[in-house]
């Protein structure tokens, strides 16, 4: 199957710059359509070339003994209900190594404890593996996670990999070159107004929708009234945003009075690979994850 036309994707979903660039780069790495979140696939030959080169740029490694699995939106489940969980944008997996890659195009989306949380959750869910993390961002100053045994960290900027992107996909298929050109243009727009950049290419005539937090709480209130399970349709989210939304809803629900019907509503993440059943939302069908709201006889908190 062919990867999606980048301008069609830009018009189909109101993605932020960060999510849009991630989807374009993912399609290039897998050599096809954007895959469901947390699914394992083999990178294409060009995708493997890119990842090997990024690995060498990050950690000085040259050559892999075996070909790894590639994961977009790598799920690191919370260890308990009151923990958010994590979702590095990418994971590259071998039998003895986990290499996580976190992408940022907006320095404002940097969260102080995010990277440290990735290490803690990776160590919990994947004990015995060597754990590495590459942080791919615009140039900015931050405090890197504290060093630990068997853990490596690298900060790489987008400008450092522009030549690599061009070398890998600059002579690819027509669609690969189209995706690459759009990806480079989007990355070169970092620091500018994203809404204006997007509007210049696809236009924008729709009013801004309500916030996703308001929409999700309205669904929770409806479930509290009738007990019907619902899903939040959130097509522009990544897995990390869904995890944060779940945690925000839980915290809000748990502040309600004990007699409130909302205390019986639990927000949880449905996963097509492990939860059973079918998606209740179009975004859930697209990526294989969605935020569900379910009523329980026992209060959820």
């Amino acid at each position: 199957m062919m990867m999606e036309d980048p301008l069609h994707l830009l018009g189909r979903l109101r993605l932020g710059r960060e999510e849009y660039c991630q989807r374009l780069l993912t399609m290039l790495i897998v050599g096809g359509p954007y895959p469901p979140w947390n699914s394992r696939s083999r990178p294409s030959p060009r995708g493997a070339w890119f990842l090997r080169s990024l690995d060498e740029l990050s950690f000085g490694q040259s050559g892999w003994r075996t070909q790894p699995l590639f994961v977009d939106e790598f799920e690191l489940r919370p260890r308990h209900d009151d923990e958010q969980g994590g979702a590095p944008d990418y994971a590259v997996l071998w039998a003895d190594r986990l290499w996580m890659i976190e992408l940022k195009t907006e320095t404002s989306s940097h969260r102080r404890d995010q990277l440290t949380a990735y290490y803690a959750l990776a160590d919990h869910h994947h004990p015995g593996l060597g754990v590495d993390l590459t942080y791919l961002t615009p140039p900015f100053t931050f405090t890197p996670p504290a060093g630990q045994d068997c853990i490596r960290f690298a900060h790489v900027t987008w400008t450092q990999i522009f030549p690599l992107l061009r070398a890998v996909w600059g002579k690819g298929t027509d669609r690969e070159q189209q995706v690459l050109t759009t990806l480079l243009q989007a990355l070169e727009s970092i620091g500018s107004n994203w809404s204006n950049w997007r509007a210049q290419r696809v236009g924008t005539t729709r009013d801004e929708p309500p916030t996703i937090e308001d929409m999700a709480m309205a669904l929770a209130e409806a479930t509290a009234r009738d007990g019907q399970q619902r899903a939040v349709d959130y097509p522009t989210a990544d897995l990390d945003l869904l995890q944060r939304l779940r945690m925000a809803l839980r915290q809000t629900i748990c502040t309600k009075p004990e007699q409130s019907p909302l205390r019986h509503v639990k927000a949880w993440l449905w996963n097509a690979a492990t939860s059973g059943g079918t998606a209740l939302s179009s975004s859930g069908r697209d990526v294989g994850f969605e935020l569900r709201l379910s009523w329980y006889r026992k209060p959820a908190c």
Side-chain angles (χ1 to χ4, degrees):
M1 295 178 63
M2 183 178 291
M3 60 187 71
E4 186 174 1
D5 178 278
L7 290 182
H8 181 267
L9 173 62
L10 191 64
R12 182 172 67 86
L13 299 175
R14 295 180 67 88
L15 296 169
R17 178 166 29 219
E18 209 157 88
E19 292 77 21
Y20 184 58
C21 291
Q22 178 180 341
R23 288 198 178 213
L24 295 183
L25 183 54
T26 296
M27 290 193 297
L28 287 172
I29 290 172
V30 301
Y34 185 70
W37 290 345
N38 200 47
S39 59
R40 273 61 171 164
S41 59
R42 295 287 181 188
S44 71
R46 290 183 186 274
W49 175 12
F50 169 77
L51 291 170
R52 277 197 307 271
S53 300
L54 180 59
D55 197 7
E56 184 172 352
L57 180 62
S58 299
F59 306 110
Q61 294 190 186
S62 56
W64 297 340
R65 293 189 301 274
T66 58
Q67 290 297 311
L69 294 171
F70 173 78
V71 184
D72 179 282
E73 292 297 321
F74 182 60
E75 184 184 23
L76 293 172
R77 291 176 286 105
R79 291 167 288 189
H80 48 79
D81 279 346
D82 290 317
E83 185 174 57
Q84 178 180 297
D89 292 316
Y90 296 156
V92 187
L93 289 161
W94 292 264
D96 59 353
R97 181 186 177 207
L98 165 60
W99 174 29
M100 300 178 288
I101 305 170
E102 180 67 13
L103 314 176
K104 298 289 187 189
T105 62
E106 320 305 308
T107 56
S108 60
S109 71
H110 171 76
R111 303 199 309 278
R112 183 168 55 89
D113 297 327
Q114 183 179 18
L115 305 180
T116 301
Y118 286 172
Y119 280 130
L121 289 167
D123 182 64
H124 174 77
H125 291 298
H126 303 278
L129 296 187
V131 178
D132 301 326
L133 175 58
T134 294
Y135 202 27
L136 182 53
T137 77
F140 80 114
T141 302
F142 66 97
T143 302
Q148 302 176 43
D149 292 340
C150 302
I151 285 177
R152 296 183 297 176
F153 175 79
H155 181 212
V156 177
T157 64
W158 287 108
T159 51
Q160 287 179 271
I161 69 163
F162 280 176
L164 174 58
L165 291 168
R166 294 188 178 98
V168 174
W169 286 290
K171 295 183 179 180
T173 65
D174 289 345
R175 179 53 58 85
E176 285 175 331
Q177 292 186 55
Q178 182 187 20
V179 172
L180 172 65
T181 297
T182 308
L183 172 62
L184 292 172
Q185 290 172 348
L187 291 172
E188 288 165 353
S189 79
I190 290 173
S192 68
N193 184 288
W194 174 248
S195 296
N196 291 343
W197 189 93
R198 181 181 181 278
Q200 289 170 3
R201 286 154 179 80
V202 299
T204 176
T205 58
R206 292 176 293 177
D207 294 334
E208 289 298 317
T211 68
I212 193 64
E213 292 81 2
D214 290 342
M215 293 172 61
M217 185 53 66
L219 293 175
E221 290 169 349
T223 293
R225 289 193 298 269
D226 61 19
Q228 181 178 338
Q229 186 177 95
R230 291 174 168 83
V232 179
D233 195 7
Y234 195 179
T236 62
D238 57 22
L239 184 52
D240 186 72
L241 281 174
L242 278 188
Q243 290 170 327
R244 280 189 273 159
L245 180 58
R246 180 199 72 83
M247 194 64 192
L249 282 177
R250 175 175 172 79
Q251 290 171 344
T252 299
I253 288 170
C254 289
T255 64
K256 300 298 180 182
E258 289 188 7
Q259 66 272 22
S260 171
L262 270 170
R263 293 288 290 263
H264 292 265
V265 177
K266 180 178 180 179
W268 59 283
L269 290 187
W270 176 85
N271 179 343
T274 60
S275 300
T278 57
L280 301 179
S281 67
S282 58
S283 58
R285 288 188 291 274
D286 185 28
V287 300
F289 279 79
E290 65 189 6
L291 184 67
R292 292 272 179 99
L293 299 160
S294 300
W295 187 91
Y296 291 87
R297 185 176 300 276
K298 181 179 178 181
C301 56

